[in-house]
Amino acid sequence: MSTVAFHTLGCKVNFYDTEAIWQLFKNEGYEQVDFEQTADVYVINTCTVTNTGDKKSRQIIRRAIRRNPDAIVAVTGCYAQTSPAEIMAIPGVDLVIGTQNRDQIIPLVNEYMASRKPINAVRNIMKTREFEELDVPDFADRTRAFLKIQEGCNNFCTFCIIPWSRGLMRSRKPESVIRQAHMLVEAGYKEIVLTGIHTGGYGEDLQGYGLAELLSDLDKVDGLKRIRISSIEASQITDKVVDVLNRSDKMCRHLHVPLQAGDDAVLARMRRKYTTAEFGAKIEKLHRALPDVAITTDVIVGFPGETEDMFRAGYAFMERMQFAEMHVFPYSKRTGTPAARMDDQIDEEVKNERVHELIDLSERMQLAYARKFVGQTLEVIPERTYKGAPDSGLLMGYSDNYVNLVFPGSEHLIGELCSVKLTEAGVNESKGVLVGADGRMPHKTAVGG
């Protein structure tokens, strides 16, 4: 039996895509082995969001070639899409596929076996208008399923390379999304996370059917308990979307809304399509419609031209927004983007100081948010035993409103919907006690076996 090993770099969408590629190999009778073992085929799913992503991708490719010089080494993903020639130049790389036509990977591997000539199968992503249909019926050791609903992005923010590696916005057909949701529920999943490159933009390229309609249709899927949106832009939080969030008891009280900067001048240089006032108005609308909603966000610190005053203004704005958590990143130059060519780059030390200030703010806001729920009972789907002490009899998982709870419970509850009373609020994890649980275990199949 032939073996295949995978290594994925980068975002959740990449992990989803790797699972989809594994299904193709699995259907051909391949067995999956660990990437550190000797395999017949190595598939490296690369990332290019930062210059470091490129470098890491090259290191992993070389590691596979060293592990088994006779293996077929196939490289896919964002770095493969933007720099196929650079990857083809690495001795030992046999096949390069970008972020499309991955459904052809098996025929391409077979073609390489027959000809033993390296294949560059990368095509111009900017011409692609169709969503690439790749089903993922099951996820290895995960209690929540990811469901990819769109690909690509039309925004062209000045710091971002992604439209060049993923192409323009294209949505998955609604009936295909719903079919896959039913499949995941049948496999035992209670929670689905809708994911994509620009998830909240779903339907912008469809006639008369958008995110609100999709959420409404998913709400009708029997057996599905929780729907989470991986990320949504402020401009995509329409009245229609808010209405569905409000009506549905399946929609998680958690939205990830990327802010990126809390100052209008910085937002304009980033080519973000909103002001802080517009962003703030959307967040207030969400809080009114969904009391207790957790709003998490992404922030880039030290973008070119960010003065101390701009940073302070941003800090005050973030504090006012009362985020439940912020993911804070120092600005990092991405070759090939307009921001990398801007003159007024910020000193690394200044960046690091600002990052630490915002992380402290994030932790204070996270604790303040968790404290609101002390004494309340929250719905939690435990994901695993407590990572600090696997034998402690403790489980951990996220509530529907994104509080990470640790509580005593037996392992058979993993993947089940549990009611947990929050007893002690903490920054990255809070403590609770189990009040009740329902349902049956998801019947998972282990990957590769």
Side-chain angles (χ1 to χ4, degrees), residues 269-285:
R269 285 177 68 111
M270 288 178 163
R271 210 186 292 151
R272 301 290 288 168
K273 296 182 172 71
Y274 50 83
T275 60
T276 49
E278 288 163 346
F279 186 96
K282 286 292 169 89
I283 301 302
E284 275 163 30
K285 181 180 275 186

Side-chain angles (χ1 to χ4, degrees), residues 96-120:
V96 182
I97 309 181
T99 52
Q100 57 184 342
N101 302 339
R102 285 164 301 194
D103 51 348
Q104 295 302 305
I105 192 160
I106 299 292
L108 287 166
V109 163
N110 294 339
E111 185 188 323
Y112 175 79
M113 281 180 182
S115 72
R116 291 286 156 184
K117 289 193 178 82
I119 301 167
N120 177 355

Side-chain angles (χ1 to χ4, degrees), residues 92-273:
V93 170
D94 304 308
L95 170 59
V96 182
I97 309 181
T99 52
Q100 57 184 342
N101 302 339
R102 285 164 301 194
D103 51 348
Q104 295 302 305
I105 192 160
I106 299 292
L108 287 166
V109 163
N110 294 339
E111 185 188 323
Y112 175 79
M113 281 180 182
S115 72
R116 291 286 156 184
K117 289 193 178 82
I119 301 167
N120 177 355
V122 178
R123 301 288 168 266
N124 180 356
I125 193 80
M126 287 304 174
K127 291 186 175 160
T128 301
R129 293 288 177 272
E130 285 294 305
F131 180 89
E132 180 179 60
E133 288 286 341
L134 291 169
D135 275 344
V136 182
D138 201 335
F139 292 82
D141 38 86
R142 295 234 188 248
T143 48
R144 53 166 85 129
F146 290 89
L147 176 43
K148 184 172 161 184
I149 62 169
Q150 71 75 239
E151 176 67 271
C153 180
N154 298 354
N155 273 9
F156 294 92
C157 297
T158 54
F159 52 80
C160 185
I161 199 82
I162 292 304
W164 306 107
S165 66
R166 288 281 178 175
L168 299 174
M169 171 78 213
R170 44 209 191 275
S171 303
R172 189 171 189 170
K173 291 186 179 70
E175 51 277 20
S176 166
V177 177
I178 304 301
R179 192 188 67 238
Q180 169 112 50
H182 281 290
M183 221 154 71
L184 291 166
V185 170
E186 276 160 34
Y189 292 97
K190 304 275 194 291
E191 179 178 332
I192 284 178
V193 183
L194 301 177
T195 188
I197 294 299
H198 195 58
T199 314
Y202 179 84
E204 281 170 18
D205 54 337
L206 302 175
Q207 287 308 114
Y209 190 95
L211 185 65
E213 288 75 14
L214 182 70
L215 294 175
S216 201
D217 285 346
L218 283 168
D219 186 61
K220 300 176 190 124
V221 174
D222 279 346
L224 180 58
K225 296 280 200 268
R226 290 207 315 208
I227 303 162
R228 206 183 282 279
I229 305 168
S230 66
S231 183
I232 185 167
E233 293 289 337
S235 60
Q236 294 157 348
I237 302 166
T238 60
D239 290 351
K240 268 169 120 178
V241 167
V242 171
D243 184 50
V244 180
L245 296 177
N246 214 342
R247 276 200 329 260
S248 164
D249 58 354
K250 294 182 183 181
M251 292 303 307
C252 289
R253 293 175 297 166
H254 166 228
L255 288 172
H256 185 76
V257 191
L259 170 64
Q260 305 305 11
D263 177 88
D264 289 347
V266 182
L267 287 172
R269 285 177 68 111
M270 288 178 163
R271 210 186 292 151
R272 301 290 288 168
K273 296 182 172 71

